[in-house]
């Protein structure tokens, strides 16, 4: 049996169509020729039906045609697409700069003075309710109601708020 009489399958037809698309993309065949050749490739049933489609084209040819003649084999495989080249006009890369140690932090809209005074004047966690720390405020309220001397904790907390400030429920520092 001759090689051209061997039947081909879908994989061979698709490889031929893909290679024809490559040749079309390189400008070797016109759009009309491409359409005609791809239609013929999908209609082919034997190797002999595909060979004429590549006869006037340089490699690459389908691999199932067998090895190319020695005069048609390239001496070096060239990439189809060139590797990316760095932009010569781009600015040079900057070394990593650590963040500023004193980056500006957004302040809360609540005041540390108001929170401290509320803690001292109403010593059952009202200042912590004001800052949005409801859990701490409820704990201070519970300690004051259950124990008689629990009011010392909210008062000391109020003095600390006046002296050092604190954080609101979102973790932002209280406004001075």
């Amino acid at each position: 049996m001759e090689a051209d009489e061997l039947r081909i399958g879908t994989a061979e037809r698709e490889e031929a169509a893909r290679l024809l698309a490559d040749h079309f993309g390189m400008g070797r065949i016109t759009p009309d020729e491409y359409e005609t050749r791809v239609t013929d490739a999908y209609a082919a049933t034997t190797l002999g039906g595909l060979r004429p489609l590549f006869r006037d084209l340089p490699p690459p040819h389908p691999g199932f045609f067998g090895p190319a003649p020695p005069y048609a084999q390239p001496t070096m495989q060239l990439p189809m697409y060139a590797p990316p080249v760095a932009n010569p006009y781009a600015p040079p890369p900057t070394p990593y700069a650590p963040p500023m140690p004193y980056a500006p932090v957004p302040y809360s809209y609540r005041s540390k003075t108001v929170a401290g005074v509320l803690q001292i004047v109403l010593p059952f966690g009202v200042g912590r309710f004001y800052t949005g720390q409801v859990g701490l405020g409820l704990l201070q309220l519970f300690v004051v109601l259950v124990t008689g001397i629990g009011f010392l904790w909210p008062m000391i907390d109020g003095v600390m708020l006046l002296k050092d400030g604190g954080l609101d429920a979102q973790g932002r520092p209280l406004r001075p």
Side-chain angles (χ1 to χ4, degrees), residues 94-162:
T94 57
Y96 171 75
M100 294 177 21
Y102 301 106
V105 177
Y107 280 104
S108 172
Y109 61 89
R110 296 183 172 122
S111 169
K112 72 176 185 175
T113 307
V114 173
V117 169
L118 283 173
Q119 280 290 93
I120 293 171
V121 173
L122 302 169
F124 45 87
V126 174
R128 289 303 177 171
F129 285 112
Y130 169 75
T131 62
Q133 297 171 332
V134 177
L136 187 56
L138 285 173
L139 185 60
Q140 287 179 353
L141 177 63
F142 179 73
V143 168
V144 169
L145 292 177
V146 171
T147 66
I149 57 171
F151 70 92
L152 287 175
W153 177 25
M155 290 182 73
I156 294 170
D157 191 30
V159 171
M160 296 299 291
L161 281 171
L162 286 172

Short mmCIF file of all heavy atoms in Angstrom, two decimals, residues 94-162:
data_model
loop_
_atom_site.label_atom_id
_atom_site.label_comp_id
_atom_site.label_asym_id
_atom_site.label_seq_id
_atom_site.Cartn_x
_atom_site.Cartn_y
_atom_site.Cartn_z
N THR A 94 12.95 50.81 41.15
CA THR A 94 13.36 51.42 42.41
C THR A 94 13.54 50.34 43.46
O THR A 94 12.78 49.38 43.48
CB THR A 94 12.31 52.44 42.90
OG1 THR A 94 11.07 51.76 43.02
CG2 THR A 94 12.16 53.59 41.92
N PRO A 95 14.53 50.49 44.29
CA PRO A 95 14.69 49.50 45.37
C PRO A 95 13.53 49.61 46.34
O PRO A 95 12.86 50.65 46.43
CB PRO A 95 16.02 49.87 46.01
CG PRO A 95 16.22 51.30 45.67
CD PRO A 95 15.54 51.53 44.34
N TYR A 96 13.30 48.54 47.06
CA TYR A 96 12.20 48.52 48.01
C TYR A 96 12.44 49.56 49.10
O TYR A 96 13.49 49.62 49.70
CB TYR A 96 12.08 47.13 48.64
CG TYR A 96 11.10 47.09 49.78
CD1 TYR A 96 9.74 47.13 49.54
CD2 TYR A 96 11.53 47.08 51.10
CE1 TYR A 96 8.83 47.12 50.58
CE2 TYR A 96 10.64 47.06 52.15
CZ TYR A 96 9.29 47.08 51.88
OH TYR A 96 8.39 47.07 52.91
N ALA A 97 11.45 50.39 49.31
CA ALA A 97 11.52 51.39 50.37
C ALA A 97 10.57 50.96 51.48
O ALA A 97 9.38 50.77 51.25
CB ALA A 97 11.12 52.75 49.83
N PRO A 98 11.08 50.78 52.70
CA PRO A 98 10.19 50.38 53.79
C PRO A 98 9.19 51.50 54.09
O PRO A 98 9.45 52.67 53.80
CB PRO A 98 11.14 50.16 54.97
CG PRO A 98 12.36 50.92 54.63
CD PRO A 98 12.45 50.98 53.14
N PRO A 99 8.06 51.17 54.63
CA PRO A 99 7.06 52.19 54.93
C PRO A 99 7.59 53.16 55.97
O PRO A 99 8.46 52.83 56.78
CB PRO A 99 5.86 51.40 55.46
CG PRO A 99 6.41 50.08 55.85
CD PRO A 99 7.62 49.83 55.01
N MET A 100 7.05 54.36 55.91
CA MET A 100 7.46 55.38 56.87
C MET A 100 7.10 54.93 58.28
O MET A 100 6.01 54.39 58.50
CB MET A 100 6.76 56.71 56.56
CG MET A 100 7.17 57.31 55.25
SD MET A 100 6.31 58.83 54.78
CE MET A 100 5.68 59.48 56.26
N PRO A 101 8.00 55.15 59.25
CA PRO A 101 7.68 54.69 60.61
C PRO A 101 6.53 55.46 61.23
O PRO A 101 5.84 54.95 62.09
CB PRO A 101 8.99 54.90 61.37
CG PRO A 101 9.74 55.90 60.58
CD PRO A 101 9.31 55.73 59.15
N TYR A 102 6.33 56.68 60.81
CA TYR A 102 5.26 57.49 61.39
C TYR A 102 4.26 57.86 60.30
O TYR A 102 4.02 59.01 60.01
CB TYR A 102 5.83 58.75 62.03
CG TYR A 102 6.82 58.44 63.12
CD1 TYR A 102 8.17 58.63 62.94
CD2 TYR A 102 6.38 57.91 64.32
CE1 TYR A 102 9.08 58.32 63.93
CE2 TYR A 102 7.29 57.60 65.32
CZ TYR A 102 8.63 57.81 65.13
OH TYR A 102 9.52 57.49 66.10
N ALA A 103 3.70 56.84 59.70
CA ALA A 103 2.71 57.07 58.65
C ALA A 103 1.48 57.71 59.28
O ALA A 103 1.10 57.39 60.41
CB ALA A 103 2.33 55.75 57.99
N PRO A 104 0.88 58.64 58.59
CA PRO A 104 -0.31 59.29 59.15
C PRO A 104 -1.43 58.29 59.36
O PRO A 104 -1.75 57.51 58.47
CB PRO A 104 -0.69 60.35 58.12
CG PRO A 104 -0.02 59.91 56.86
CD PRO A 104 1.19 59.13 57.26
N VAL A 105 -2.02 58.32 60.54
CA VAL A 105 -3.10 57.41 60.91
C VAL A 105 -4.37 58.24 61.01
O VAL A 105 -4.37 59.29 61.65
CB VAL A 105 -2.80 56.72 62.26
CG1 VAL A 105 -3.95 55.83 62.67
CG2 VAL A 105 -1.51 55.94 62.16
N PRO A 106 -5.44 57.80 60.39
CA PRO A 106 -6.67 58.57 60.51
C PRO A 106 -7.21 58.48 61.94
O PRO A 106 -7.26 57.42 62.53
CB PRO A 106 -7.61 57.90 59.53
CG PRO A 106 -7.10 56.51 59.39
CD PRO A 106 -5.62 56.60 59.59
N TYR A 107 -7.56 59.63 62.47
CA TYR A 107 -8.10 59.68 63.83
C TYR A 107 -9.58 59.35 63.82
O TYR A 107 -10.28 59.54 62.83
CB TYR A 107 -7.91 61.08 64.44
CG TYR A 107 -6.53 61.31 64.97
CD1 TYR A 107 -5.62 62.11 64.28
CD2 TYR A 107 -6.12 60.76 66.17
CE1 TYR A 107 -4.35 62.33 64.76
CE2 TYR A 107 -4.85 60.98 66.67
CZ TYR A 107 -3.97 61.77 65.96
OH TYR A 107 -2.71 61.96 66.45
N SER A 108 -10.05 58.89 64.96
CA SER A 108 -11.47 58.64 65.15
C SER A 108 -12.17 59.98 65.29
O SER A 108 -11.57 60.99 65.63
CB SER A 108 -11.67 57.82 66.43
OG SER A 108 -13.04 57.72 66.74
N TYR A 109 -13.43 60.02 65.03
CA TYR A 109 -14.18 61.26 65.24
C TYR A 109 -14.59 61.42 66.71
O TYR A 109 -15.20 62.40 67.09
CB TYR A 109 -15.40 61.33 64.32
CG TYR A 109 -16.41 60.25 64.51
CD1 TYR A 109 -17.45 60.39 65.42
CD2 TYR A 109 -16.35 59.08 63.76
CE1 TYR A 109 -18.37 59.39 65.60
CE2 TYR A 109 -17.28 58.07 63.94
CZ TYR A 109 -18.28 58.23 64.85
OH TYR A 109 -19.20 57.24 65.02
N ARG A 110 -14.23 60.47 67.55
CA ARG A 110 -14.52 60.55 68.98
C ARG A 110 -13.31 61.10 69.71
O ARG A 110 -12.18 60.86 69.34
CB ARG A 110 -14.89 59.17 69.50
CG ARG A 110 -16.17 58.66 68.84
CD ARG A 110 -16.58 57.34 69.39
NE ARG A 110 -17.88 56.98 68.89
CZ ARG A 110 -18.15 55.90 68.21
NH1 ARG A 110 -17.20 55.05 67.94
NH2 ARG A 110 -19.36 55.64 67.80
N SER A 111 -13.56 61.81 70.80
CA SER A 111 -12.51 62.49 71.54
C SER A 111 -12.09 61.71 72.77
O SER A 111 -12.92 61.15 73.49
CB SER A 111 -13.02 63.88 71.96
OG SER A 111 -12.15 64.47 72.87
N LYS A 112 -10.77 61.70 73.06
CA LYS A 112 -10.27 61.03 74.25
C LYS A 112 -10.67 61.81 75.50
O LYS A 112 -10.88 61.22 76.56
CB LYS A 112 -8.76 60.83 74.18
CG LYS A 112 -7.94 62.09 74.35
CD LYS A 112 -6.46 61.76 74.36
CE LYS A 112 -5.64 63.01 74.65
NZ LYS A 112 -4.23 62.71 74.76
N THR A 113 -10.83 63.13 75.40
CA THR A 113 -11.23 63.94 76.55
C THR A 113 -12.65 63.59 76.97
O THR A 113 -12.93 63.38 78.16
CB THR A 113 -11.12 65.44 76.22
OG1 THR A 113 -9.81 65.71 75.73
CG2 THR A 113 -11.42 66.30 77.42
N VAL A 114 -13.56 63.54 76.01
CA VAL A 114 -14.96 63.20 76.32
C VAL A 114 -15.04 61.78 76.89
O VAL A 114 -15.74 61.55 77.89
CB VAL A 114 -15.83 63.34 75.06
CG1 VAL A 114 -17.25 62.84 75.32
CG2 VAL A 114 -15.87 64.77 74.58
N ALA A 115 -14.30 60.84 76.31
CA ALA A 115 -14.34 59.46 76.80
C ALA A 115 -13.81 59.37 78.23
O ALA A 115 -14.39 58.70 79.09
CB ALA A 115 -13.53 58.55 75.88
N GLY A 116 -12.71 60.08 78.52
CA GLY A 116 -12.13 60.05 79.86
C GLY A 116 -13.03 60.67 80.90
O GLY A 116 -13.21 60.14 82.00
N VAL A 117 -13.63 61.83 80.57
CA VAL A 117 -14.52 62.51 81.52
C VAL A 117 -15.76 61.65 81.78
O VAL A 117 -16.22 61.54 82.92
CB VAL A 117 -14.90 63.91 81.00
CG1 VAL A 117 -16.02 64.53 81.81
CG2 VAL A 117 -13.67 64.82 80.99
N LEU A 118 -16.33 61.04 80.73
CA LEU A 118 -17.49 60.17 80.94
C LEU A 118 -17.14 58.97 81.83
O LEU A 118 -17.95 58.57 82.66
CB LEU A 118 -18.02 59.67 79.59
CG LEU A 118 -18.84 60.66 78.78
CD1 LEU A 118 -19.14 60.09 77.39
CD2 LEU A 118 -20.14 61.01 79.49
N GLN A 119 -15.95 58.41 81.69
CA GLN A 119 -15.54 57.28 82.52
C GLN A 119 -15.41 57.71 83.98
O GLN A 119 -15.73 56.93 84.88
CB GLN A 119 -14.19 56.73 82.04
CG GLN A 119 -14.26 55.81 80.85
CD GLN A 119 -14.90 54.49 81.16
OE1 GLN A 119 -16.10 54.33 80.97
NE2 GLN A 119 -14.12 53.53 81.59
N ILE A 120 -14.93 58.93 84.22
CA ILE A 120 -14.72 59.37 85.61
C ILE A 120 -16.04 59.81 86.23
O ILE A 120 -16.36 59.45 87.37
CB ILE A 120 -13.68 60.51 85.66
CG1 ILE A 120 -12.30 59.96 85.24
CG2 ILE A 120 -13.60 61.14 87.04
CD1 ILE A 120 -11.25 61.01 85.04
N VAL A 121 -16.84 60.59 85.51
CA VAL A 121 -18.09 61.15 86.06
C VAL A 121 -19.15 60.05 86.21
O VAL A 121 -19.87 60.03 87.22
CB VAL A 121 -18.60 62.30 85.17
CG1 VAL A 121 -19.97 62.79 85.63
CG2 VAL A 121 -17.61 63.45 85.17
N LEU A 122 -19.28 59.19 85.25
CA LEU A 122 -20.26 58.10 85.30
C LEU A 122 -19.48 56.78 85.32
O LEU A 122 -19.32 56.13 84.27
CB LEU A 122 -21.20 58.17 84.10
CG LEU A 122 -22.00 59.47 83.94
CD1 LEU A 122 -22.67 59.54 82.60
CD2 LEU A 122 -23.01 59.59 85.06
N PRO A 123 -18.98 56.35 86.48
CA PRO A 123 -18.05 55.22 86.53
C PRO A 123 -18.70 53.84 86.39
O PRO A 123 -18.60 53.01 87.26
CB PRO A 123 -17.40 55.38 87.90
CG PRO A 123 -18.43 56.03 88.73
CD PRO A 123 -19.20 56.93 87.80
N PHE A 124 -19.38 53.61 85.30
CA PHE A 124 -19.86 52.26 85.02
C PHE A 124 -19.77 51.96 83.52
O PHE A 124 -20.63 51.32 82.94
CB PHE A 124 -21.29 52.02 85.56
CG PHE A 124 -22.25 53.13 85.28
CD1 PHE A 124 -22.95 53.16 84.10
CD2 PHE A 124 -22.46 54.12 86.22
CE1 PHE A 124 -23.84 54.18 83.85
CE2 PHE A 124 -23.36 55.12 85.98
CZ PHE A 124 -24.06 55.16 84.79
N GLY A 125 -18.67 52.43 82.89
CA GLY A 125 -18.36 52.06 81.51
C GLY A 125 -18.95 52.93 80.44
O GLY A 125 -18.89 52.57 79.25
N VAL A 126 -19.52 54.10 80.80
CA VAL A 126 -20.16 54.96 79.79
C VAL A 126 -19.13 55.46 78.76
O VAL A 126 -19.43 55.55 77.57
CB VAL A 126 -20.88 56.14 80.47
CG1 VAL A 126 -21.43 57.10 79.44
CG2 VAL A 126 -22.00 55.62 81.34
N GLY A 127 -17.91 55.74 79.21
CA GLY A 127 -16.87 56.20 78.28
C GLY A 127 -16.54 55.16 77.24
O GLY A 127 -16.25 55.46 76.09
N ARG A 128 -16.55 53.88 77.63
CA ARG A 128 -16.27 52.81 76.67
C ARG A 128 -17.45 52.59 75.72
O ARG A 128 -17.25 52.25 74.56
CB ARG A 128 -15.95 51.50 77.41
CG ARG A 128 -14.61 51.54 78.08
CD ARG A 128 -13.53 51.83 77.07
NE ARG A 128 -12.23 51.95 77.71
CZ ARG A 128 -11.09 52.02 77.06
NH1 ARG A 128 -11.09 52.04 75.74
NH2 ARG A 128 -9.96 52.13 77.70
N PHE A 129 -18.66 52.83 76.17
CA PHE A 129 -19.80 52.80 75.26
C PHE A 129 -19.65 53.92 74.23
O PHE A 129 -19.95 53.76 73.06
CB PHE A 129 -21.13 52.94 76.01
CG PHE A 129 -21.55 51.69 76.73
CD1 PHE A 129 -21.57 51.65 78.11
CD2 PHE A 129 -21.93 50.56 76.04
CE1 PHE A 129 -21.96 50.51 78.78
CE2 PHE A 129 -22.32 49.42 76.70
CZ PHE A 129 -22.33 49.38 78.08
N TYR A 130 -19.17 55.10 74.69
CA TYR A 130 -18.97 56.24 73.80
C TYR A 130 -17.93 55.92 72.73
O TYR A 130 -18.10 56.30 71.57
CB TYR A 130 -18.52 57.46 74.63
CG TYR A 130 -18.03 58.62 73.79
CD1 TYR A 130 -18.91 59.42 73.09
CD2 TYR A 130 -16.67 58.91 73.71
CE1 TYR A 130 -18.45 60.47 72.31
CE2 TYR A 130 -16.21 59.95 72.95
CZ TYR A 130 -17.10 60.73 72.25
OH TYR A 130 -16.64 61.78 71.49
N THR A 131 -16.86 55.23 73.07
CA THR A 131 -15.82 54.91 72.09
C THR A 131 -16.23 53.78 71.15
O THR A 131 -15.54 53.50 70.19
CB THR A 131 -14.49 54.53 72.77
OG1 THR A 131 -14.68 53.35 73.55
CG2 THR A 131 -13.95 55.66 73.62
N GLY A 132 -17.33 53.12 71.43
CA GLY A 132 -17.81 52.05 70.58
C GLY A 132 -17.37 50.68 71.04
O GLY A 132 -17.67 49.68 70.40
N GLN A 133 -16.66 50.60 72.17
CA GLN A 133 -16.21 49.32 72.70
C GLN A 133 -17.27 48.80 73.66
O GLN A 133 -17.13 48.86 74.88
CB GLN A 133 -14.85 49.48 73.37
CG GLN A 133 -13.79 49.93 72.38
CD GLN A 133 -12.50 50.31 73.06
OE1 GLN A 133 -12.49 50.75 74.20
NE2 GLN A 133 -11.40 50.16 72.33
N VAL A 134 -18.33 48.26 73.08
CA VAL A 134 -19.49 47.85 73.85
C VAL A 134 -19.17 46.69 74.79
O VAL A 134 -19.63 46.66 75.94
CB VAL A 134 -20.65 47.48 72.89
CG1 VAL A 134 -21.87 46.98 73.66
CG2 VAL A 134 -21.01 48.66 72.02
N GLY A 135 -18.38 45.75 74.35
CA GLY A 135 -18.04 44.60 75.19
C GLY A 135 -17.32 45.02 76.46
O GLY A 135 -17.65 44.56 77.57
N LEU A 136 -16.35 45.92 76.35
CA LEU A 136 -15.62 46.40 77.52
C LEU A 136 -16.54 47.23 78.41
O LEU A 136 -16.48 47.15 79.65
CB LEU A 136 -14.40 47.22 77.08
CG LEU A 136 -13.43 47.65 78.16
CD1 LEU A 136 -12.92 46.47 78.96
CD2 LEU A 136 -12.27 48.41 77.54
N GLY A 137 -17.41 48.03 77.79
CA GLY A 137 -18.36 48.81 78.57
C GLY A 137 -19.31 47.92 79.34
O GLY A 137 -19.61 48.20 80.52
N LEU A 138 -19.82 46.86 78.74
CA LEU A 138 -20.71 45.93 79.44
C LEU A 138 -19.98 45.22 80.58
O LEU A 138 -20.56 45.01 81.65
CB LEU A 138 -21.29 44.90 78.47
CG LEU A 138 -22.38 45.40 77.53
CD1 LEU A 138 -22.73 44.33 76.51
CD2 LEU A 138 -23.61 45.82 78.31
N LEU A 139 -18.72 44.86 80.37
CA LEU A 139 -17.95 44.21 81.42
C LEU A 139 -17.75 45.15 82.61
O LEU A 139 -17.90 44.75 83.78
CB LEU A 139 -16.60 43.74 80.86
CG LEU A 139 -15.73 42.93 81.80
CD1 LEU A 139 -16.44 41.65 82.22
CD2 LEU A 139 -14.41 42.60 81.13
N GLN A 140 -17.44 46.42 82.34
CA GLN A 140 -17.26 47.37 83.44
C GLN A 140 -18.59 47.60 84.17
O GLN A 140 -18.63 47.68 85.41
CB GLN A 140 -16.71 48.69 82.91
CG GLN A 140 -15.26 48.60 82.51
CD GLN A 140 -14.70 49.90 81.97
OE1 GLN A 140 -15.42 50.88 81.75
NE2 GLN A 140 -13.39 49.92 81.75
N LEU A 141 -19.68 47.70 83.44
CA LEU A 141 -21.00 47.86 84.06
C LEU A 141 -21.32 46.66 84.94
O LEU A 141 -21.80 46.81 86.07
CB LEU A 141 -22.07 48.02 82.97
CG LEU A 141 -23.51 48.13 83.44
CD1 LEU A 141 -23.72 49.38 84.28
CD2 LEU A 141 -24.45 48.14 82.25
N PHE A 142 -21.06 45.46 84.49
CA PHE A 142 -21.32 44.25 85.26
C PHE A 142 -20.48 44.23 86.54
O PHE A 142 -20.99 43.90 87.62
CB PHE A 142 -21.03 43.01 84.40
CG PHE A 142 -21.24 41.71 85.11
CD1 PHE A 142 -22.51 41.25 85.39
CD2 PHE A 142 -20.17 40.95 85.53
CE1 PHE A 142 -22.72 40.06 86.05
CE2 PHE A 142 -20.34 39.76 86.19
CZ PHE A 142 -21.63 39.30 86.46
N VAL A 143 -19.20 44.59 86.44
CA VAL A 143 -18.31 44.58 87.61
C VAL A 143 -18.77 45.62 88.63
O VAL A 143 -18.77 45.37 89.84
CB VAL A 143 -16.84 44.82 87.19
CG1 VAL A 143 -15.95 45.09 88.38
CG2 VAL A 143 -16.32 43.63 86.41
N VAL A 144 -19.21 46.80 88.17
CA VAL A 144 -19.68 47.84 89.09
C VAL A 144 -20.96 47.39 89.78
O VAL A 144 -21.14 47.60 90.99
CB VAL A 144 -19.90 49.17 88.34
CG1 VAL A 144 -20.65 50.18 89.20
CG2 VAL A 144 -18.58 49.75 87.89
N LEU A 145 -21.89 46.77 89.07
CA LEU A 145 -23.16 46.37 89.67
C LEU A 145 -23.00 45.17 90.60
O LEU A 145 -23.71 45.07 91.60
CB LEU A 145 -24.18 46.04 88.57
CG LEU A 145 -24.64 47.23 87.72
CD1 LEU A 145 -25.59 46.74 86.63
CD2 LEU A 145 -25.31 48.29 88.58
N VAL A 146 -22.09 44.25 90.29
CA VAL A 146 -21.95 43.04 91.11
C VAL A 146 -21.12 43.32 92.36
O VAL A 146 -21.46 42.89 93.45
CB VAL A 146 -21.34 41.90 90.27
CG1 VAL A 146 -20.97 40.71 91.14
CG2 VAL A 146 -22.32 41.47 89.19
N THR A 147 -20.01 44.02 92.21
CA THR A 147 -19.15 44.30 93.36
C THR A 147 -19.33 45.75 93.77
O THR A 147 -19.59 46.63 92.94
CB THR A 147 -17.67 44.04 93.02
OG1 THR A 147 -17.25 44.97 92.04
CG2 THR A 147 -17.47 42.62 92.53
N GLY A 148 -19.13 46.03 95.02
CA GLY A 148 -19.31 47.39 95.50
C GLY A 148 -18.17 48.32 95.11
O GLY A 148 -18.36 49.50 94.87
N ILE A 149 -16.94 47.78 95.06
CA ILE A 149 -15.81 48.66 94.77
C ILE A 149 -15.37 48.56 93.31
O ILE A 149 -14.30 49.03 92.95
CB ILE A 149 -14.62 48.32 95.71
CG1 ILE A 149 -14.23 46.84 95.56
CG2 ILE A 149 -14.92 48.67 97.14
CD1 ILE A 149 -12.95 46.50 96.28
N GLY A 150 -16.18 48.00 92.45
CA GLY A 150 -15.85 47.86 91.04
C GLY A 150 -15.81 49.17 90.31
O GLY A 150 -15.31 49.24 89.19
N PHE A 151 -16.30 50.27 90.92
CA PHE A 151 -16.29 51.57 90.25
C PHE A 151 -14.87 52.11 90.10
O PHE A 151 -14.64 53.06 89.35
CB PHE A 151 -17.17 52.57 91.01
CG PHE A 151 -16.60 52.99 92.34
CD1 PHE A 151 -15.80 54.11 92.43
CD2 PHE A 151 -16.87 52.26 93.49
CE1 PHE A 151 -15.27 54.48 93.66
CE2 PHE A 151 -16.35 52.63 94.70
CZ PHE A 151 -15.54 53.75 94.80
N LEU A 152 -13.87 51.53 90.79
CA LEU A 152 -12.49 51.99 90.66
C LEU A 152 -11.94 51.70 89.26
O LEU A 152 -11.17 52.50 88.72
CB LEU A 152 -11.60 51.33 91.72
CG LEU A 152 -11.80 51.83 93.16
CD1 LEU A 152 -10.95 51.02 94.10
CD2 LEU A 152 -11.45 53.30 93.25
N TRP A 153 -12.31 50.57 88.71
CA TRP A 153 -11.79 50.22 87.38
C TRP A 153 -12.19 51.26 86.33
O TRP A 153 -11.33 51.77 85.61
CB TRP A 153 -12.23 48.81 87.02
CG TRP A 153 -11.81 48.34 85.65
CD1 TRP A 153 -10.75 48.77 84.91
CD2 TRP A 153 -12.46 47.36 84.86
NE1 TRP A 153 -10.68 48.10 83.72
CE2 TRP A 153 -11.73 47.22 83.66
CE3 TRP A 153 -13.58 46.56 85.05
CZ2 TRP A 153 -12.09 46.33 82.65
CZ3 TRP A 153 -13.92 45.66 84.05
CH2 TRP A 153 -13.19 45.56 82.86
N PRO A 154 -13.47 51.63 86.18
CA PRO A 154 -13.82 52.64 85.19
C PRO A 154 -13.16 53.99 85.47
O PRO A 154 -12.80 54.72 84.54
CB PRO A 154 -15.34 52.75 85.27
CG PRO A 154 -15.80 51.48 85.87
CD PRO A 154 -14.69 51.04 86.76
N MET A 155 -12.98 54.34 86.75
CA MET A 155 -12.35 55.63 87.06
C MET A 155 -10.88 55.62 86.65
O MET A 155 -10.37 56.59 86.08
CB MET A 155 -12.52 55.95 88.54
CG MET A 155 -13.97 56.26 88.90
SD MET A 155 -14.20 56.70 90.60
CE MET A 155 -13.51 58.33 90.62
N ILE A 156 -10.17 54.53 86.95
CA ILE A 156 -8.76 54.43 86.55
C ILE A 156 -8.67 54.40 85.02
O ILE A 156 -7.79 55.03 84.42
CB ILE A 156 -8.11 53.19 87.18
CG1 ILE A 156 -8.03 53.35 88.69
CG2 ILE A 156 -6.73 52.93 86.59
CD1 ILE A 156 -7.63 52.09 89.43
N ASP A 157 -9.60 53.72 84.40
CA ASP A 157 -9.65 53.67 82.94
C ASP A 157 -9.87 55.07 82.36
O ASP A 157 -9.27 55.44 81.34
CB ASP A 157 -10.75 52.71 82.48
CG ASP A 157 -10.69 52.39 81.00
OD1 ASP A 157 -9.57 52.40 80.44
OD2 ASP A 157 -11.74 52.09 80.41
N GLY A 158 -10.71 55.87 83.01
CA GLY A 158 -10.95 57.24 82.56
C GLY A 158 -9.70 58.10 82.65
O GLY A 158 -9.41 58.90 81.75
N VAL A 159 -8.95 57.95 83.75
CA VAL A 159 -7.70 58.71 83.88
C VAL A 159 -6.72 58.29 82.80
O VAL A 159 -6.03 59.13 82.18
CB VAL A 159 -7.10 58.51 85.30
CG1 VAL A 159 -5.72 59.11 85.39
CG2 VAL A 159 -8.03 59.10 86.35
N MET A 160 -6.64 57.00 82.51
CA MET A 160 -5.73 56.51 81.46
C MET A 160 -6.15 57.03 80.08
O MET A 160 -5.31 57.35 79.26
CB MET A 160 -5.70 54.98 81.46
CG MET A 160 -5.15 54.35 82.73
SD MET A 160 -3.45 54.80 83.06
CE MET A 160 -2.62 53.95 81.76
N LEU A 161 -7.46 57.12 79.84
CA LEU A 161 -7.94 57.67 78.57
C LEU A 161 -7.55 59.13 78.44
O LEU A 161 -7.14 59.58 77.37
CB LEU A 161 -9.46 57.51 78.45
CG LEU A 161 -9.98 56.14 78.06
CD1 LEU A 161 -11.50 56.09 78.18
CD2 LEU A 161 -9.57 55.80 76.64
N LEU A 162 -7.68 59.90 79.54
CA LEU A 162 -7.29 61.32 79.49
C LEU A 162 -5.78 61.47 79.28
O LEU A 162 -5.35 62.36 78.54
CB LEU A 162 -7.71 62.03 80.78
CG LEU A 162 -9.20 62.31 80.93
CD1 LEU A 162 -9.50 62.84 82.33
CD2 LEU A 162 -9.66 63.29 79.88
#
